């Protein structure tokens, strides 16, 4: 290991240790007796271990007091020792009964009763086994503790998200450069073009299914991509993202690659653009998240398209592409420096077209910083 690797590992280990300690402080303050995670973004946040779940029991237990421990299939042992700073790693082998191991782990940590906070996305099969292993326990969700820790991003997290946003912004430039060449491509071909460029420019994979909503498909906000060919004069909703150092980007532009757009399109695009600007302008410390939604929605309602704005204005972004804080009516939670959220109003006209414009912003001490800053115009 080089000196630099050792330094990085030291810093990384220290970061994860602080996060586990923060979790234990919240547990001791009354949130519960232990946290139980499985392979998830929560586990990645606390330990750095980022594999996908499978049918084998792989759990991470954080008791309110004492040492956190992995309970994992032995085929992961080397990886867990190399990739995490967790000292206590209990393993089990194929052919053994993992539920007995879970029971022993909980008993040894003194948490067979009490209140256990389980990973929000934990598969039912594992929660069933936890219930069997701790029949006297009550259960809550890990997010009751972890979303509060995760919601404000530190400098390294923000740096990763800035870089991921820059990659996506550069790919918007690549799309504009295509111009008329995009006409005749299918949505799937354009999606492959986007994903290739994201990788070439330094991103890792996609942060969600790439959206290429051509013409009437753009009026379905979460249409992915299909075999429909892009035609001249059609608005195309392009919503995509990639990851850098594990952190995602998420941005949308609506472009017309060639030709004259439909009659109402110029007006609709302008309304969405103004709404998006109003939403971004509303972001700042102490502002209730719902005020961001209201600011964008007011513009769209005033233009007579309120019924065509069929979703909230935005969502927080971190290791999960959708997380707290949600910019939605009823969310009175005040924004704080370090929070990252999307501002993404849209107007969707069924059977005609859709328009959405989306940027990520980070809340600062006196307003916000846009992570995406490419042109929002629809012309290439
Ligand atoms: N691509 C999904 C979203 O913007 O939330
Ligand atoms: Mn998006
Ligand atoms: Mn989004």
């Amino acid at each position: 290991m080089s000196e630099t690797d050792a330094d990085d590992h030291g810093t990384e280990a220290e970061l994860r240790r602080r996060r586990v300690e923060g979790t234990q402080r919240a547990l001791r303050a009354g949130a519960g007796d232990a946290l139980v995670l499985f392979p998830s973004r929560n586990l990645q946040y606390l330990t750095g271990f980022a594999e996908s779940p499978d049918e084998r029991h792989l759990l991470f237990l954080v008791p309110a007091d004492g040492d956190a421990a992995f309970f994992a299939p032995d085929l992961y042992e080397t990886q867990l020792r190399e990739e995490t700073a967790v000292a206590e790693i209990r393993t089990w082998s194929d052919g053994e009964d993992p539920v007995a191991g879970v029971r022993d782990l909980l008993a040894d940590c003194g948490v067979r009763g009490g209140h256990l906070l389980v990973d929000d996305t934990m598969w039912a099969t594992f929660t069933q086994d936890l219930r069997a292993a701790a029949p006297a326990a009550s259960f809550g969700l890990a997010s009751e503790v972890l979303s509060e820790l995760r919601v404000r991003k530190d400098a390294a997290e923000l740096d990763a998200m800035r870089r991921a946003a820059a990659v996506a912004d550069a790919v918007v430039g690549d799309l504009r450069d295509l111009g008329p060449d995009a006409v005749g491509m299918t949505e799937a071909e354009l999606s492959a073009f986007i994903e290739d460029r994201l990788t070439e420019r330094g991103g890792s994979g996609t942060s969600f299914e790439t959206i290429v909503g051509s013409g009437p498909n753009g009026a379905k906000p979460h249409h992915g991509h299909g075999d429909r060919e892009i035609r001249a004069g059609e608005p195309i909703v392009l919503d995509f993202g990639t990851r850098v150092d594990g952190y995602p980007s998420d941005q949308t532009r609506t472009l017309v690659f060639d030709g004259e757009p439909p009659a109402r399109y110029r007006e609709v695009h302008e309304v969405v653009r103004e709404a998006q600007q109003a939403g971004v302008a509303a972001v700042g410390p102490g502002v209730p998240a719902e005020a961001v939604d209201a600011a964008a929605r007011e513009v769209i309602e005033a233009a007579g398209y309120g019924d065509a704005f069929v979703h909230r204005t935005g969502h927080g972004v971190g290791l999960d592409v959708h997380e707290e804080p949600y910019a939605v009516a009823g969310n009175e939670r005040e924004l704080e420096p370090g929070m990252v959220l999307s501002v993404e109003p849209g107007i969707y006209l069924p059977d005609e077209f859709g328009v959405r414009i989306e940027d990520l912003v980070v809340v600062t001490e006196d307003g916000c910083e846009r992570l995406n800053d490419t042109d929002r115009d629809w012309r290439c």
Side-chain angles (χ1 to χ4, degrees):
M1 188 187 281
S2 74
E3 205 170 294
T4 312
D5 287 345
D7 288 350
D8 287 348
H9 187 73
T11 311
E12 179 81 8
E14 178 62 20
L15 171 73
R16 308 289 176 194
R17 194 178 58 72
R18 282 203 307 270
R19 289 176 178 175
V20 170
E21 284 173 359
T23 302
Q24 291 183 304
R25 271 197 302 279
L27 290 169
R28 287 197 296 272
D33 294 286
L35 187 83
V36 191
L37 303 182
F38 98 133
S40 67
R41 299 291 176 199
N42 281 332
L43 185 62
Q44 186 179 352
Y45 183 79
L46 286 189
T47 70
F49 184 73
E51 294 295 335
S52 302
D54 72 14
E55 77 289 354
R56 291 183 173 99
H57 291 64
L58 193 162
L59 301 177
F60 181 59
L61 179 80
V62 183
D65 291 294
D67 293 333
F70 270 111
F71 176 70
D74 52 11
L75 59 97
Y76 283 106
E77 182 171 2
T78 307
Q79 205 175 334
L80 287 168
R81 293 207 185 281
E82 283 179 4
E83 295 177 11
T84 80
V86 177
E88 172 78 9
I89 299 174
R90 298 186 179 203
T91 60
W92 63 277
S93 307
D94 287 345
E96 289 176 358
D97 173 14
V99 183
V102 173
R103 200 165 42 236
D104 291 346
L105 175 73
L106 294 177
D108 293 350
C109 294
V111 291
R112 286 202 64 199
H115 190 59
L116 304 185
L117 301 182
V118 299
D119 221 330
D120 297 49
T121 56
M122 185 180 283
W123 293 353
T125 177
F126 300 124
T127 58
Q128 286 277 66
D129 289 344
L130 277 174
R131 282 182 196 282
S138 59
F139 291 85
L141 294 176
S143 58
E144 291 165 30
V145 164
L146 291 182
S147 64
E148 196 50 38
L149 291 184
R150 288 175 50 181
V151 74
R152 284 170 298 277
K153 276 65 188 178
D154 66 22
E157 292 177 292
L158 291 177
D159 180 56
M161 293 176 81
R162 270 189 204 101
R163 287 183 287 135
V167 170
D169 277 353
V171 175
V172 172
D174 295 333
L175 285 164
R176 289 185 188 281
D177 289 345
L178 271 182
D181 291 345
V183 174
M185 291 172 78
T186 65
E187 293 174 346
E189 286 167 346
L190 198 53
S191 168
F193 172 90
I194 290 167
E195 293 174 13
D196 287 348
R197 296 284 131 12
L198 288 171
T199 306
E200 280 169 18
R201 290 186 174 280
S204 175
T206 54
S207 38
F208 51 88
E209 187 186 357
T210 298
I211 293 177
V212 180
S214 64
N217 284 341
K220 297 171 258 182
H222 278 181
H223 168 83
H225 52 262
D227 293 333
R228 191 177 183 283
E229 278 189 12
I230 287 156
R231 302 176 196 159
E234 279 187 340
I236 318 292
V237 175
L238 298 147
D239 182 354
F240 54 85
T242 187
R243 287 184 186 264
V244 170
D245 288 350
Y247 282 80
S249 58
D250 179 14
Q251 126 278 54
T252 309
R253 294 291 180 266
T254 304
L255 302 180
V256 177
F257 286 104
D258 193 22
E260 272 303 296
R264 289 207 274 180
Y265 177 72
R266 288 166 199 271
E267 175 205 341
V268 168
H269 192 277
E270 190 52 31
V271 171
V272 174
R273 198 164 152 165
E274 281 172 21
Q276 207 257 354
Q277 180 54 36
V280 171
V283 175
V287 173
E290 66 178 356
V292 177
D293 182 75
R297 200 166 297 281
E298 250 172 54
V299 175
I300 291 178
E301 283 174 353
Y305 290 103
D307 290 346
F309 181 12
V310 293
H311 54 71
R312 66 192 174 209
T313 293
H315 52 86
V317 182
L319 283 174
D320 282 305
V321 181
H322 289 187
E323 59 178 50
E324 296 282 354
Y326 294 97
V328 64
N331 188 2
E332 295 173 2
R333 173 163 194 158
E334 292 183 3
L335 300 178
E336 297 169 51
M339 291 181 174
V340 175
L341 67 154
S342 73
V343 181
E344 52 175 307
I347 292 179
Y348 306 94
L349 304 176
D351 303 322
E352 293 187 56
F353 61 83
V355 175
R356 179 165 67 256
I357 301 174
E358 172 178 26
D359 293 314
L360 300 189
V361 299
V362 53
V363 183
T364 59
E365 296 293 337
D366 55 3
C368 72
E369 168 198 339
R370 283 184 191 263
L371 298 186
N372 300 101
D373 213 7
T374 50
D375 196 346
R376 292 168 196 87
D377 197 4
W378 55 269
R379 298 166 190 86
C380 284

